[in-house]
Amino acid sequence: MSARMKLRREVGRGGFIPSGWQLAWYEPRRRIGVYYPAPLHWLMRAVRELVYRLGVAVRAPGIERSQVFDMQRTHRERQRLADEYARGYLIGWRECFHACLEVVEEELTRSDDVWEIGDLLTDTPKLPRDN
């Protein structure tokens, strides 16, 4: 551990960087830069990147599982779009229904036209109103 610490320096923002040491990588969560001696910093950065990429490759799902994930993602997206369409359709239907209901209620509240319907059904001529 002490040999590793002699070769590695972790420096926070505004900290002292020893001469001859170069930034190997920066850790944003901890807000520190990791420094190694000049030629060694490239090697340590490459080793760190290689270990990371190998870990990602090992943890990656298999082909079949990846295909299942893609199918599930596609299904969820289609379901979400269908739900949005249905929600919009129902809102439009309700608006139309309420507009039709208002027209019907308006027609029913007009009481002077009741006798015109009876005249229409019996084919009697409409008499002019005396107002």
Side-chain angles (χ1 to χ4, degrees):
M1 175 94 177
S2 64
R4 179 177 163 222
M5 290 307 288
K6 288 180 184 177
L7 290 178
R8 175 181 172 152
R9 297 275 193 260
E10 294 182 352
V11 179
R13 238 181 119 127
F16 175 72
I17 303 168
S19 62
W21 292 64
Q22 296 290 323
L23 178 69
W25 64 83
Y26 180 74
E27 296 180 4
R29 280 194 180 166
R30 295 174 52 201
R31 294 183 179 160
I32 62 164
V34 179
Y35 292 83
Y36 283 93
L40 191 58
H41 74 286
W42 288 332
L43 178 67
M44 296 308 291
R45 182 180 185 91
V47 167
R48 180 176 186 252
E49 189 73 25
L50 182 66
V51 168
Y52 171 77
R53 290 178 185 255
L54 285 174
V56 169
V58 168
R59 288 187 305 268
I63 294 172
E64 293 85 7
R65 184 174 286 177
S66 177
Q67 290 173 347
V68 168
F69 287 157
D70 289 339
M71 288 171 31
Q72 288 174 344
R73 188 178 313 113
T74 304
H75 177 71
R76 277 194 308 270
E77 181 66 20
R78 284 184 185 157
Q79 190 66 35
R80 186 183 63 78
L81 290 174
D83 290 343
E84 284 180 12
Y85 175 78
R87 197 172 19 246
Y89 181 82
L90 284 175
I91 289 170
W93 184 86
R94 287 184 186 121
E95 288 175 1
C96 182
F97 176 75
H98 289 300
C100 291
L101 195 60
E102 287 175 9
V103 170
V104 168
E105 287 176 353
E106 181 181 309
E107 288 292 322
L108 290 176
T109 57
R110 291 192 344 205
S111 63
D112 56 346
D113 295 339
V114 173
W115 301 112
E116 291 180 14
I117 295 173
D119 292 340
L120 258 170
L121 294 174
T122 59
D123 289 334
T124 57
K126 185 175 180 182
L127 299 174
R129 287 190 178 180
D130 295 328
N131 285 341

